[in-house]
Amino acid sequence: MSLIQTENLTKVYGAGETAITALNCVNLQVNAGEFVAVMGPSGCGKSTLLHLLGGLDRPTSGSVMIQDHPLAKLSDDALSQLRRRKIGFVFQFFNLIPILSSVENAALPLLLDGKNSAQAKHKASEWLTKIGLGERLKNRPDQLSAGQQQRVAIARALVTEPVLILADEPTGNLDTKSADEIADLLKQVAKTWGRAVLMVTHDPRIATHADRIVLMRDGQIVEDKRNAKDEG
Amino acid sequence: MNLQLTLAARYLGGRKLRAFLTTLAVVIGVMVIFGMGVYLPSFTAAFEKSLLAASGQADVVITHKTGESFAATMLNRVRAVNGIAVSVGAVERIINIPPNFYGKNSTVTGLTLVGVEPAVAPYLHADYTTPTQGRFLKQGDGNVAVISERLADSLGVKLNDTVKLPTTQGVVKLTIVGLLPGRALTGNEQIIIPLAQAQKLLDMPGRINVIEANLGVTGEAERRAIVEQIKAQLGNTYTLGGLSSGSEFLGAMQMAEVIFNMLGLLTLAMGGFIIFNTFRTIVAERRHDIGMLRAIGANRATIISLVLTEGLVQGVVGTAIGIGLGYLLGVGITAGTGAVMKSVMNIELTPVVEPPLVVVSILLGVGVTLFAGLLPALSASRVTPIEALRPALSQVAQRFSRIGTLVGAVMIGIAIAGLLTGFFPLVALGGFMFLIGLVLVAPALVRPIANLFGMLLALLFAREGTGELAQGNLTRQPSRAAITASATMIGLAIVVGAGGMMFSLTGTVMQLFSKTLGSDYLLVPPSIAIWKGDVGASESLKAKISSIPGVGVVSSLRYAQSSLQSAAIKGSGEATISVLGIDPVEYPKISGLDFQKGTAQDAFAALAADERNTIVNGILAAGANLKVGDLIPLATPTGLQEYRIVAIGSEVLSMKINTAYISQANLKADFHKSEDVFYQVNLAPGADVALAEQWLNQIVADYPQFRLVGGREYTAEFSAQYDSIFIGFYVLLGVLAFPSLIAILNTLAIGVIERTREIGMLRAIGATRRQVWRTIVAEALLLAALGTGLGVLAGLYLSYVFVEGLNASGIYKMAYAFPGAGVLAATAVGLIFGVLAALLPARQASQMEIIKALRYE
């Protein structure tokens, strides 16, 4: 059984004549330790797919299963708990809380989960150190480069030991060098730490870091292939 | 909770100015409630203390229901009751001491003169038998007295010294023959003299006003039986227990407390609006942060508690500071008005803090903050996680609730209809509905009013187009603009409303004052209006004044206390009444009443007739539902006496006190009172003023309980006192208006933060810093104009309600004076506030770095 499994996943915005089908009967499986890049032109449904997988939005029809849990049946609180424990998010604009330090930002999910502050911060420091920010624990976001900020966001995503990392254009706001570093880091997340990573990107060069590339157009998957470079 | 507190503290710390301003709103609200709570009860308590100081320690204390004297022979009836061990008759009388009577530094403002039978009294008061120095009174003593050591200390006298005392016979010197240990009782110190001497000095021969008795039994049932027997002996015109309190003035004080509490509540409501607005903005501003927290697994409850924790921190801090400042405010007002209170009413004020006040202040301060944060917290919890992933687009336009507008319009309609009926309860209810109605319709008014003023601004900033921009900014968030305007509105409504009422009141009172007290000279006792503690003078003083060459008319007031029972009187069905004896011939020549029903000529003629006729004042007529022609049974020392009401009329001194005017002849016959407590003197035309004044001074010197003042001088003095009370009031109004400044500042600051990207864009496409600055200032002016307009409107309505309220309650017929100057001042203040509030946000917006602003999330 795959870690993620979707069945005829469909999302329609609006109703009647103005209805827009953002996602149309999508079936997708992702396994643990797999790094998947989702590509496609603007408005093809990439982000909608990501939101539905992360339980941020509810589908119009079809279903999403994560580790055999159907998301549709979960209450808002249960969904919050699932996001907290099983899923890590990485955003294009980092979305760090500007008033908190790196370690405090990274510790947030654990604090939200009721862990005590010292434990949470210890865990956060460990992850920050693993991804190369051991020297920057006390810095606030405005004292970090864009690449470093995104690393903090990745540490935040990993700190609860989730099974799945969802990244929405994680390199969209970075220079080439930082972008490559972040893509490599995500690959490491999948390969070394065994998480499933699903990354939405515009950038074909970044997509080449992934094991699998899923191409979408008009709300449907039009191509799902193993990465040639990866195979080679 | 750890996370919540950390985030709350960091967010508050990150926006120090805003956190400070929002908290300030809570501080001011709590400060007003607490400050007034400290001041007014201290005032009431001091007053009560001076009134009730004379209650005794005996088992049974018998007084006449009116508080007046009765024949000493009544004592025999009490002594006839079986089971009474000892009973004594006494005269107890509070004597207000004129300022500086015992020297400049003396703190003695009142004494209780106690006349006792030297042989019997020690059986009831064991301490009389153990003087620390000298001896107790004995049979045959004359002008001698026994006082406590403490009083001796504060008067700076020793055994065998003399102490002077104002009496109806002029100043009397008493030789101190004994000193008693200090008493634990609160209230005035006592000067104990022989009963016969007291009766002489107080002009009440053969009369006493209190009987004290100790019972020979200890069983509760037996004691009750004896008390019943005494009641049966004396009839129902006597009170067993303490002295009955003349509490009509206390009622007025409680009313003032209610009014100030209302003002404090309105201020807190204003604070609530500000906090509500701030939290709404905080939520809007942190949509991204909140969305992200939701995305990484925070549930709704966590988000709600995050916002509420921030509110709680502000509420707790604001309330704590508010209580501290409120205490200082209370102490400050006490100190500021202390001098006036001492000279007008002869009471000493000390600020008191009662535990319930602290509890209520905390509950209100923290409660309002939490309540104001609740809706924004709920709306924050509805932010979806997706919002963290999308770049934010500020809303283009926000709709307002049509239902709210409709309900508001209906409420205003009802309020206006209520106003037209002139029926006070409806008018008062209308005032409340008018305010709420305006708050509800405000969002719908934002666009038209902004458009109107926008046109003016467009003319003002014609070449830059900033006026239109400001107008657009305001109209796309009508409900936020309306909430800000509502806060401003409530602030200014309070100022205009209360100010307008003061304006009408001042006009009326000063007019009345010069009418009532417009004589050439006045002889003023230490306490005017609350006559009970004043020691007057016997009829001989009036005769002496009349005989001065050049004196034309002398009119005096005499006082007795009475009570009236009527089903129409709320509460106990009984009201305490001041009965003022006037000379119906002389009084109208020199003073006068303002008649609400009946004419001066008929009324005074009726009083002069040999019948029991009375003129009652407005507050009494309203409180007991009295009409001209009614017969009212007044409690007198000679039993109930029926007086016929011949007119309803008031004068300034007794405006707030239940008062019945009767002839001095009737006062003497029914109340046994012939003591004058207040005099007005007019000189005859062509009199030698200097000579007459010299004579007056000479005569009054023997009666230091009176102060001789010129009528014009007194009016000026009164007006100054009146102003000194109201200057404080106006300062308070200013403080109340201050939060509206914060409201505008907050909204503008928030608007600037929210539109950072837009402002960056404007700058990028070529707007100058000056243009950006002007846009924000123009927006502030529009906002202020809106709030001011509504505030003035609501304030006028409120001031009308206040005045009508006073009229309808019958306290006094007051003419409504349109506070034109007040409206202009409020408008100016409102607009100046607008510009002041804009300075900071405008600077912030115009100084923004373009690139940063464009990148701003």
Side-chain angles (χ1 to χ4, degrees):
Chain A
M1 195 69 190
S2 305
L3 180 74
I4 304 180
Q5 192 156 6
T6 74
E7 207 175 285
N8 295 329
L9 196 60
T10 302
K11 179 71 183 178
V12 181
Y13 290 109
E17 287 181 17
T18 57
I20 294 166
T21 305
L23 218 54
N24 193 359
C25 292
V26 169
N27 295 295
L28 177 75
Q29 284 91 38
V30 181
N31 297 315
E34 203 175 11
F35 182 13
V36 181
V38 181
M39 293 189 66
S42 287
C44 71
K46 318 184 284 289
S47 294
T48 306
L49 175 65
L50 199 78
H51 297 161
L52 293 176
L53 292 180
L56 300 181
D57 206 351
R58 301 220 182 236
T60 311
S61 65
S63 70
V64 178
M65 309 265 279
I66 292 185
Q67 280 191 325
D68 298 337
H69 294 296
L71 299 195
K73 293 196 175 139
L74 298 180
S75 68
D76 189 77
D77 276 355
L79 215 50
S80 296
Q81 196 194 60
L82 179 95
R83 284 201 299 269
R84 217 151 60 208
R85 297 188 177 163
K86 303 276 184 198
I87 305 174
F89 282 95
V90 180
F91 309 106
Q92 179 179 0
F93 293 103
F94 326 138
N95 279 320
L96 300 176
I97 299 215
I99 54 173
L100 297 180
S101 68
S102 305
V103 70
E104 286 168 331
N105 264 297
L108 261 183
L110 290 176
L111 292 174
L112 286 172
D113 207 31
K115 299 284 179 297
N116 86 39
S117 172
Q119 279 178 351
K121 283 185 185 163
H122 179 71
K123 194 83 190 282
S125 314
E126 273 179 14
W127 273 109
L128 285 167
T129 309
K130 276 188 205 172
I131 61 174
L133 282 178
E135 308 286 304
R136 297 285 187 172
L137 299 182
K138 301 269 181 225
N139 291 70
R140 281 202 319 266
D142 58 354
Q143 296 162 329
L144 300 173
S145 72
Q148 287 171 327
Q149 286 186 50
Q150 194 60 300
R151 278 170 188 271
V152 175
I154 291 172
R156 182 179 67 192
L158 288 167
V159 78
T160 56
E161 309 286 352
V163 292
L164 169 67
I165 303 288
L166 297 172
D168 192 2
E169 300 274 10
T171 60
N173 230 17
L174 301 175
D175 59 79
T176 320
K177 184 165 168 280
S178 303
D180 280 329
E181 284 171 8
I182 290 298
D184 276 338
L185 180 58
L186 287 174
K187 186 166 184 175
Q188 192 185 357
V189 168
K191 296 299 144 201
T192 314
W193 296 315
R195 324 283 188 224
V197 178
L198 195 122
M199 170 181 73
V200 166
T201 183
H202 264 104
D203 188 341
R205 205 173 50 78
I206 292 299
T208 57
H209 289 265
D211 304 326
R212 225 170 110 189
I213 297 175
V214 174
L215 265 180
M216 291 187 68
R217 190 170 296 140
D218 300 331
Q220 288 180 313
I221 295 178
V222 290
E223 196 181 322
D224 185 347
K225 58 175 185 188
R226 308 300 304 172
N227 187 357
K229 181 181 144 191
D230 197 53
E231 282 166 1
Chain B
M1 207 56 198
N2 208 350
L3 172 68
Q4 275 90 330
L5 274 177
T6 309
L7 282 177
R10 297 284 178 85
Y11 274 128
L12 289 171
R15 295 233 184 266
K16 288 192 188 64
L17 181 66
R18 187 201 292 168
F20 170 73
L21 292 175
T22 336
T23 312
L24 195 60
V26 184
V27 169
I28 291 177
V30 173
M31 183 178 87
V32 170
I33 289 190
F34 198 82
M36 286 301 134
V38 165
Y39 172 64
L40 290 175
S42 80
F43 187 89
T44 323
F47 184 71
E48 255 170 324
K49 204 165 102 183
S50 81
L51 265 185
L52 302 176
S55 65
Q57 323 128 285
D59 286 349
V60 181
V61 179
I62 300 159
T63 54
H64 193 265
K65 261 197 176 155
T66 61
E68 294 297 342
S69 67
F70 45 88
T73 50
M74 291 303 288
L75 187 57
N76 297 333
R77 293 204 204 171
V78 176
R79 285 179 174 159
V81 173
N82 269 334
I84 288 186
V86 58
S87 62
V88 297
V91 166
E92 285 192 10
R93 176 78 181 264
I94 298 172
I95 296 187
N96 286 337
I97 302 301
N100 303 331
F101 184 73
Y102 290 122
K104 277 218 168 347
N105 299 324
S106 170
T107 54
V108 178
T109 57
L111 292 169
T112 304
L113 183 66
V114 184
V116 297
E117 298 169 65
V120 195
Y123 290 108
L124 254 159
H125 299 272
D127 55 330
Y128 289 177
T129 59
T130 55
T132 54
Q133 288 182 50
R135 59 170 176 87
F136 190 64
L137 306 172
K138 61 173 198 261
Q139 214 74 35
D141 271 345
N143 278 346
V144 301
V146 172
I147 63 176
S148 74
E149 284 180 311
R150 197 164 54 190
L151 178 60
D153 276 352
S154 56
L155 293 178
V157 293
K158 302 184 304 293
L159 194 67
N160 298 325
D161 284 354
T162 58
V163 59
K164 55 178 183 169
L165 197 68
T167 75
T168 59
Q169 311 299 315
V171 172
V172 171
K173 286 189 171 165
L174 304 167
T175 306
I176 301 165
V177 295
L179 293 177
L180 297 175
R183 299 181 316 147
L185 268 181
T186 56
N188 290 334
E189 287 286 346
Q190 296 183 333
I191 292 195
I192 304 162
I193 64 172
L195 178 61
Q197 201 64 17
Q199 287 167 332
K200 195 171 125 198
L201 296 181
L202 297 174
D203 198 16
M204 43 199 290
R207 301 187 74 79
I208 53 177
N209 61 11
V210 56
I211 295 173
E212 290 179 315
N214 271 357
L215 309 181
V217 294
T218 47
E220 190 56 34
E222 290 164 291
R223 291 171 85 94
R224 260 207 301 272
I226 296 172
V227 167
E228 287 310 313
Q229 281 183 49
I230 301 175
K231 279 186 184 164
Q233 278 288 328
L234 297 177
N236 63 1
T237 52
Y238 287 82
T239 307
L240 271 69
L243 290 177
S244 67
S245 64
S247 60
E248 63 287 299
F249 193 74
L250 289 180
M253 286 317 298
Q254 276 151 9
M255 178 115 134
E257 212 173 331
V258 168
I259 289 176
F260 276 107
N261 279 341
M262 285 301 293
L263 288 180
L265 273 181
L266 278 175
T267 318
L268 261 190
M270 192 158 50
F273 270 108
I274 294 171
I275 292 162
F276 176 64
N277 219 3
T278 307
F279 277 105
R280 266 166 54 122
T281 316
I282 283 173
V283 170
E285 216 178 275
R286 296 196 201 136
R287 252 175 63 254
H288 254 50
D289 289 5
I290 295 168
M292 183 275 296
L293 285 172
R294 292 279 285 139
I296 65 173
N299 58 22
R300 290 197 171 145
T302 311
I303 301 294
I304 291 177
S305 72
L306 267 180
V307 179
L308 287 186
T309 304
E310 212 171 316
L312 189 70
V313 169
Q314 287 187 286
V316 168
V317 172
T319 304
I321 299 175
I323 287 179
L325 291 180
Y327 181 73
L328 292 182
L329 177 74
V331 172
I333 299 179
T334 309
T337 55
V340 176
M341 289 305 162
K342 192 168 170 180
S343 74
V344 177
M345 292 178 188
N346 211 32
I347 55 179
E348 293 264 14
L349 299 179
T350 33
V352 287
V353 178
E354 286 160 353
L357 175 66
V358 180
V359 174
V360 166
S361 302
I362 291 174
L363 286 181
L364 280 175
V366 178
V368 165
T369 321
L370 282 183
F371 185 71
L374 198 61
L375 273 184
L378 287 175
S379 101
S381 77
R382 283 192 292 269
V383 171
T384 63
I386 297 183
E387 310 217 16
L389 308 171
R390 287 193 195 128
L393 276 178
S394 54
Q395 272 173 297
V396 173
Q398 191 191 37
R399 288 172 61 82
F400 50 84
S401 155
R402 284 186 194 287
I403 298 171
T405 311
L406 199 69
V407 171
V410 169
M411 285 178 98
I412 292 176
I414 293 175
I416 292 173
L419 189 67
L420 293 178
T421 63
F423 179 52
F424 180 65
L426 284 184
V427 175
L429 186 70
F432 190 64
M433 290 180 87
F434 195 75
L435 264 185
I436 296 187
L438 276 182
V439 170
L440 285 175
V441 284
L445 293 179
V446 169
R447 195 180 298 273
I449 294 186
N451 287 346
L452 183 73
F453 284 94
M455 278 190 278
L456 291 176
L457 281 178
L459 288 176
L460 212 61
F461 300 137
R463 278 172 300 167
E464 296 173 4
T466 43
E468 283 92 340
L469 208 56
Q471 180 189 337
N473 284 338
L474 209 59
T475 50
R476 71 181 179 178
Q477 289 275 18
S479 73
R480 182 197 298 158
I483 288 171
T484 312
S486 296
T488 315
M489 174 186 95
I490 294 178
L492 286 176
I494 295 173
V495 176
V496 173
M501 179 188 71
M502 289 302 146
F503 190 65
S504 299
L505 190 68
T506 311
T508 311
V509 166
M510 288 322 294
Q511 194 189 352
L512 203 59
F513 196 90
S514 49
K515 180 172 178 181
T516 317
L517 302 172
S519 58
D520 293 343
Y521 297 98
L522 304 161
L523 265 65
V524 187
S527 169
I528 54 170
I530 312 291
W531 308 100
K532 194 172 176 177
D534 290 325
V535 174
S538 63
E539 283 171 312
S540 62
L541 177 58
K542 191 174 176 184
K544 282 186 205 165
I545 296 172
S546 301
S547 66
I548 294 173
V551 165
V553 189
V554 182
S555 160
S556 66
L557 285 184
R558 293 178 184 173
Y559 166 80
Q561 189 178 317
S562 178
S563 67
L564 171 67
Q565 287 187 331
S566 158
I569 298 166
K570 285 192 191 108
S572 63
E574 183 166 4
T576 310
I577 293 173
S578 255
V579 179
L580 290 183
I582 58 174
D583 181 333
V585 180
E586 301 296 313
Y587 184 75
K589 290 188 195 159
I590 202 164
S591 185
L593 296 170
D594 206 52
F595 284 93
Q596 283 147 272
K597 291 274 157 54
T599 65
Q601 206 180 351
D602 295 349
F604 289 120
L607 251 54
D610 192 15
E611 296 163 353
R612 289 197 173 92
N613 288 328
T614 180
I615 301 167
V616 296
N617 75 345
I619 190 166
L620 175 58
N625 194 21
L626 302 176
K627 298 184 300 294
V628 172
D630 284 357
L631 284 171
I632 52 169
L634 290 180
T636 80
T638 52
L640 289 180
Q641 299 292 357
E642 282 204 322
Y643 277 77
R644 180 182 301 281
I645 299 173
V646 292
I648 296 172
S650 308
E651 40 89 20
V652 67
L653 293 179
S654 310
M655 219 164 108
K656 289 184 292 186
I657 296 165
N658 289 331
T659 306
Y661 303 88
I662 63 174
S663 69
Q664 291 180 343
N666 280 338
L667 194 78
K668 194 171 186 176
D670 289 341
F671 292 87
H672 302 286
K673 277 285 195 92
S674 55
E675 173 188 337
D676 293 309
V677 292
F678 182 75
Y679 298 86
Q680 288 179 276
V681 181
N682 265 1
L683 299 182
D688 182 341
V689 177
L691 187 66
E693 211 165 293
Q694 197 187 333
W695 271 105
L696 273 171
N697 273 318
Q698 208 171 324
I699 290 173
V700 172
D702 290 335
Y703 296 85
Q705 65 264 52
F706 291 108
R707 202 158 51 95
L708 176 72
V709 285
R712 204 162 294 156
E713 184 192 328
Y714 192 62
T715 310
E717 194 179 302
F718 182 82
S719 158
Q721 279 176 355
Y722 202 79
D723 286 349
S724 84
I725 291 174
F726 288 119
I727 282 172
F729 191 79
Y730 286 123
V731 169
L732 189 70
L733 286 183
V735 172
L736 290 178
F738 189 71
S740 59
L741 179 68
I742 301 172
I744 303 179
L745 177 58
N746 234 332
T747 305
L748 289 173
I750 287 158
V752 167
I753 294 163
E754 223 181 25
R755 291 198 303 271
T756 301
R757 278 229 280 216
E758 277 174 42
I759 293 168
M761 181 274 293
L762 278 177
R763 296 273 287 121
I765 61 169
T768 63
R769 287 188 194 282
R770 218 157 82 114
Q771 282 170 320
V772 171
W773 191 88
R774 285 193 174 180
T775 308
I776 306 295
V777 172
E779 193 178 332
L781 275 175
L782 284 177
L783 210 51
L786 185 68
T788 308
L790 294 179
V792 166
L793 205 63
L796 286 175
Y797 190 107
L798 280 186
S799 68
Y800 190 75
V801 168
F802 288 150
V803 171
E804 278 301 299
L806 285 180
N807 282 342
S809 66
I811 292 167
Y812 197 76
K813 193 80 201 147
M814 201 198 290
Y816 180 71
F818 183 83
V823 168
L824 281 182
T827 310
V829 166
L831 295 181
I832 291 170
F833 270 20
V835 175
L836 279 182
L839 290 180
L840 222 75
R843 197 184 125 83
Q844 193 188 357
S846 63
Q847 300 293 317
M848 242 174 227
E849 281 179 48
I850 301 173
I851 307 286
K852 252 191 178 170
L854 282 172
R855 279 216 203 114
Y856 187 84
E857 275 293 299

